[in-house]
């Protein structure tokens, strides 16, 4: 019965990665709650527009996240 | 003062059906809370991308929901 | 597959009314989406602390909502 | 560590105004929580489709919000 | 920068299990997004009152979830 | 018509500070959207239990947030 809502910035993850997020978060949850809860475990993934996510008041873009993920300091 | 947030998979409901969801959920709520609360009753309807909604770890698409609604088992 | 999240101020509705909200919003939704979607229709009701809900910058309390519902202008 | 989620109707605010919302809400929050919390203060801005926001059961469109903001009664 | 919001029914998970949910969902996410995103990965776990979660219009209680998890059909 | 949802860890802010959050975020929003939108601007403040908020997979407690706010590195 858990509901897992994931918000990410659009364009960071491919379709395959988004399907993997849905699958792997469910697996992680099922390992804790038990196999009987699997069919009731929901994941809703929502994408937020590039720049409409702020950290410390500064907009974060898709490019910023990709740079961070790659270990490149944001410019 | 209630806030009703509805999340559905995109492309399942027509514009007319979405307007009906807003209207009918409000009516159902007003019948419980009283007519004086009507103008304060909010409904926010959000559409999640096809496949970005997972049940038991499996992505659910717009086509899957339409098949379920029609009583056809998902393929 | 719709997810209906309802936020209300705590102490406004009785347990019986909250169960009625869950039931009636589901009925309203099922009438639009079709009977086959019933078992997949979720309602999550959350209560927000009295005063932690603001309209126009002014905190709204449980007493305020009850006064509004009764048709009494807030004091 | 606060998370501020803002939902608005799409097309009401320009990109510049959305960046201003992220910045000014963060500033308001930091003034209360203290400067040390700035880097942990998140704002997520989400746009809801015109008409998918209901007040009292009536859909509100982008045009309606612009008319209200301009002080013009909705037609 | 992903935000993972988990809603569960209160009283189903112990404090230790809730900490495990936070940890394991983060690990699952980091394995997909990359180690550099770890410090930006948030999990917010919220508990919904027993009975304030409805499936198909029927309230689900803490006892119901425990029975399902144990493989016992709800009474 | 904006809806501002703020999630904080419980016990970090006093009742007076929470009222200030509601008021100041509304003021910041009204300055951008215009005075006519004030009465339609909602703030909903929700408190998450100490420890049920994770950053990088580590639970954050009320004490942790207070230490951060005070400029003390978490122990």
């Amino acid at each position: 019965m858990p509901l897992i809502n994931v918000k990410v910035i659009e364009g960071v993850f491919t379709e395959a990665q988004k399907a993997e997020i849905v699958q792997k978060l469910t697996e992680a949850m099922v390992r804790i709650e038990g196999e009987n809860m699997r069919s009731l475990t929901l994941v809703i993934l929502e994408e937020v527009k590039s720049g409409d996510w702020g950290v410390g008041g500064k907009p974060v873009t898709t490019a910023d996240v990709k740079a961070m993920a790659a270990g490149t300091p944001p410019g």
Side-chain angles (χ1 to χ4, degrees), chain A:
Chain A
M1 210 127 298
L3 167 70
I4 302 173
N5 180 273
V6 186
K7 291 189 199 286
V8 300
I9 293 180
E10 65 172 7
V12 171
F13 298 105
T14 63
E15 291 305 304
Q17 283 177 312
K18 290 199 292 175
E20 200 185 346
I21 290 170
V22 168
Q23 191 204 327
K24 297 298 192 195
L25 293 186
T26 302
E27 291 305 324
M29 196 71 208
V30 166
R31 235 167 285 138
I32 299 165
E33 67 191 349
E35 190 59 41
N36 289 326
M37 298 302 289
R38 180 186 295 272
S39 68
L40 296 162
T41 303
L42 290 189
V43 178
I44 295 177
L45 199 154
E46 294 176 299
E47 290 184 296
V48 174
K49 285 187 194 145
S50 175
D52 287 357
W53 188 301
V55 177
K58 301 218 170 91
V60 177
T61 65
T62 305
D64 291 336
V65 178
K66 287 185 170 177
M68 280 182 266
T72 320

